[in-house]
Amino acid sequence: MKIDRWTRRATLSLAALTVLLSGCTTYVTTQVTAFSDWNGSDATRTYAFTRAADQKNNLELSTYERVVANELAPHAFRQVDAAQARYLVGLSYGIRSDMVTVAEPVYYNPWPGPYWGRPFDPWGPWGPYPAGYVNQSYPIYTHLLGVRITERTTGKEVYNVTARNSGGESSLVRSMPYLARSALADFPLGNGVVHTVKIPLDQNGGSSNEVAVTGVAPAAPASGAKAVQ
């Protein structure tokens, strides 16, 4: 889906607010979009990861495959050799950076102290007063993970899910556990579903086991993830 410039500007402005509040943020919020033809009749979900020819020795992709494998396991998926797998799982991923500008107020105090105001109000009736606004620019990073599941023997696509979040985190590696858990949090989603997943941070900055899913809605057409090679 092509996003018009006003929608994109609003999205980036909200992301900028997230960056400003990141010191007190305790959740990572991810939007998940799924397209599904999953029948749910298989008793054993065996799978193998599939790669493009130029990705055979990609260490970054190997790292992300392990993260996704950990999230597939609770849904009865078992990784096997490709020749014995019922499903092939392909990953796509990427990160994009933008700069957003936010107008922030600047204050001044025309009444230098000492003076006393009302209880618990050290400024009293005098100020400070807004002197105007200055533009501050902040980096915003959008992280993306796509998980595509096909039947090995027929090549039929049975599940395609995309997870996307934005914020001040510049590392895709640190964002990947949240993307993978969000993408597979409620597997399998129905066809054409969009929902929001909130995952709390633990004390060490990692993801906790608690997952909150909100805002389930029919999906609008989504652009595919581009693999990073």
Side-chain angles (χ1 to χ4, degrees):
M1 176 178 65
K2 185 177 180 180
I3 301 176
D4 63 70
R5 62 175 183 170
W6 297 111
T7 302
R8 186 169 181 268
R9 183 177 299 176
T11 301
L12 292 176
S13 296
L14 289 173
L17 181 60
T18 301
V19 173
L20 293 174
L21 299 177
S22 60
C24 58
T25 298
T26 57
Y27 287 87
V28 175
T29 302
T30 303
Q31 185 184 64
V32 177
T33 305
F35 297 94
S36 176
D37 190 23
W38 193 269
N39 57 33
S41 63
D42 51 328
T44 303
R45 297 172 175 178
T46 56
Y47 77 97
F49 286 107
T50 182
R51 297 183 176 189
D54 58 352
Q55 295 178 319
K56 295 299 182 183
N57 298 311
N58 189 316
L59 290 176
E60 181 183 12
L61 181 52
S62 297
T63 301
Y64 300 154
E65 286 175 346
R66 288 193 293 270
V67 175
V68 172
N70 289 337
E71 301 303 329
L72 286 170
H75 302 290
F77 280 91
R78 181 168 59 90
Q79 191 172 359
V80 298
D81 184 77
Q84 284 76 48
R86 178 172 181 179
Y87 300 106
L88 296 178
V89 178
L91 305 184
S92 52
Y93 52 91
I95 183 170
R96 186 186 68 200
S97 63
D98 290 285
M99 293 296 295
V100 295
T101 301
V102 179
E104 297 181 347
V106 176
Y107 294 92
Y108 79 103
N109 176 24
W111 302 96
Y115 50 84
W116 296 268
R118 298 180 299 275
F120 309 109
D121 183 5
W123 295 110
W126 296 289
Y129 296 97
Y133 291 84
V134 295
N135 292 329
Q136 296 287 348
S137 295
Y138 300 91
I140 296 294
Y141 301 93
T142 300
H143 319 98
L144 186 70
L145 170 67
V147 181
R148 182 174 184 260
I149 303 177
T150 58
E151 293 181 342
R152 180 181 62 84
T153 56
T154 66
K156 177 184 177 182
E157 182 180 88
V158 294
Y159 200 70
N160 194 330
V161 61
T162 302
R164 179 185 288 102
N165 59 39
S166 298
E169 176 56 69
S170 61
S171 170
L172 183 59
V173 174
R174 287 195 289 267
S175 297
M176 188 56 63
Y178 301 99
L179 292 170
R181 180 164 294 183
S182 299
L184 298 166
D186 198 20
F187 178 89
L189 293 170
N191 184 51
V193 168
V194 176
H195 69 182
T196 300
V197 179
K198 294 176 64 177
I199 300 177
L201 296 166
D202 64 20
Q203 293 181 350
N204 298 317
S207 60
S208 78
N209 292 325
E210 178 187 350
V211 177
V213 179
T214 61
V216 178
S223 59
K226 181 178 180 182
V228 177
Q229 302 177 6

